[in-house]
């Protein structure tokens, strides 16, 4: 297989896998914000094949998502691309310059910081346009809603690729999709892997709790105190706000 055919095959494979996990793995978190694992696939692709691959796959999958399962239109598509590229391209660009364990950790950490910062800005600028919220209401939700969501998302986006990178690369080398390393195999960073596993487990537990699958029921308030009946509290601070989940 020549280089061009191999690259096309790689991009098609990443797009298909990212789209599938996006469709089957969408989890509501807060307001209209949902987490899906497509950024994990795109980040792994970027770490292995470079930031341009991550950017291209991000654009293709986000456009396909816009035409199939998304209800936020072109602005939602732009937000998806910005979010994914801010994380995956940053992490993979740093790792490409320094292909070591330290480079991987630095890249993923930088990706978290860039994505969280960028999405707070872009949520403030764009969310009022496509959700119809007053900008003042969006500003009030930046810290209690958008910041925790993006921290949760970046934690999963960093932890899962860190855990999966080595097994995925080993499988790709056996299949001939990437070249085998010339030097000796590096030791597995057990401590960092355990830390990444704890981070992922914590984020998953938060997602389960947010969706009423742990401890509280589906009407549990964000503070953790269940009301006597749903929707009995004062009106939501902005359209669509689910301070009591289940409010219209």
């Amino acid at each position: 297989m020549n280089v061009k055919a191999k690259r096309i095959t790689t991009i098609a494979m990443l797009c298909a896998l990212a789209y599938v996990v996006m469709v089957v793995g969408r989890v509501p978190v807060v307001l209209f914000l949902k987490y899906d694992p497509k950024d994990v696939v795109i980040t792994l692709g970027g770490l292995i094949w470079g930031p341009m691959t991550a950017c291209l796959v991000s654009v293709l999958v986000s456009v396909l998502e816009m035409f199939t399962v998304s209800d936020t239109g072109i602005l939602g598509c732009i937000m998806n691309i910005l979010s994914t590229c801010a994380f995956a391209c940053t992490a993979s660009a740093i790792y490409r310059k320094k292909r070591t364990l330290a480079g991987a950790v630095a890249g993923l950490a930088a990706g978290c910081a860039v994505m969280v910062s960028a999405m707070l800005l872009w949520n403030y600028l764009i969310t009022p346009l496509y959700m119809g919220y007053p900008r003042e209401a969006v500003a009030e939700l930046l810290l209690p809603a958008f910041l925790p969501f993006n921290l949760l998302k970046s934690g999963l986006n960093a932890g899962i690729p860190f855990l999966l990178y080595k097994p995925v690369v080993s499988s790709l080398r056996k299949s001939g999709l990437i070249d085998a390393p010339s030097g000796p195999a590096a030791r597995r960073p057990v401590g960092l892997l355990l830390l990444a596993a704890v981070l992922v487990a914590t984020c998953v537990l938060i997602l389960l709790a947010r969706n009423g699958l742990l401890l509280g029921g589906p009407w549990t308030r964000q503070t953790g105190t269940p009301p006597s009946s749903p929707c009995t509290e004062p009106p939501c601070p902005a359209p669509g706000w689910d301070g009591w989940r289940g409010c219209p």
Side-chain angles (χ1 to χ4, degrees), residues 103-115:
V105 173
L108 292 170
C112 292
V114 171
M115 191 199 80

Side-chain angles (χ1 to χ4, degrees), residues 68-231:
T68 54
V69 298
S70 176
D71 56 1
T72 54
I74 184 64
L75 292 177
C77 176
I78 292 172
M79 293 287 280
N80 274 332
I81 295 171
L82 290 171
S83 174
T84 302
C85 287
F87 183 84
C89 293
T90 301
S92 54
I94 293 175
Y95 184 61
R96 188 169 191 175
K97 290 183 177 295
K98 190 176 182 181
R99 299 189 74 85
T100 62
L101 175 61
V105 173
L108 292 170
C112 292
V114 171
M115 191 199 80
V116 170
S117 302
M119 295 317 296
L120 286 179
L121 173 63
W122 286 108
N123 275 302
Y124 176 76
L125 294 176
I126 295 181
T127 297
L129 301 179
Y130 75 90
M131 294 304 297
Y133 291 4
R135 196 171 300 278
E136 294 78 11
V138 173
E140 292 178 1
L141 295 174
L142 287 177
L143 295 182
F146 292 108
L147 177 60
F149 171 77
N150 283 291
L151 288 173
L152 177 72
K153 183 176 180 179
S154 63
L156 289 169
N157 288 349
I160 299 175
F162 190 82
L163 293 172
L164 294 181
Y165 179 80
K166 197 70 174 179
V168 169
V169 167
S170 298
S171 298
L172 291 173
R173 283 171 180 157
K174 291 178 182 178
S175 65
L177 288 174
I178 60 175
D179 297 330
S182 56
R187 295 179 58 185
R188 290 178 65 82
V190 177
L192 287 175
L193 289 172
L194 287 175
L195 182 62
V198 170
L199 175 63
V200 171
T202 302
C203 293
V204 169
L205 289 174
I206 292 172
L207 284 177
L208 293 175
R210 280 291 304 157
N211 286 276
L213 300 178
L214 289 177
L215 301 179
W219 303 109
T220 302
R221 196 182 183 186
Q222 293 174 3
T223 58
T225 306
S228 57
S229 63
C231 306

Side-chain angles (χ1 to χ4, degrees), residues 1-13 49 175-179:
M1 185 183 294
N2 61 42
V3 175
K4 185 176 181 180
K6 186 181 290 188
R7 181 169 177 79
I8 293 174
T9 301
T10 298
I11 291 173
M13 175 185 68
W49 289 287
S175 65
L177 288 174
I178 60 175
D179 297 330

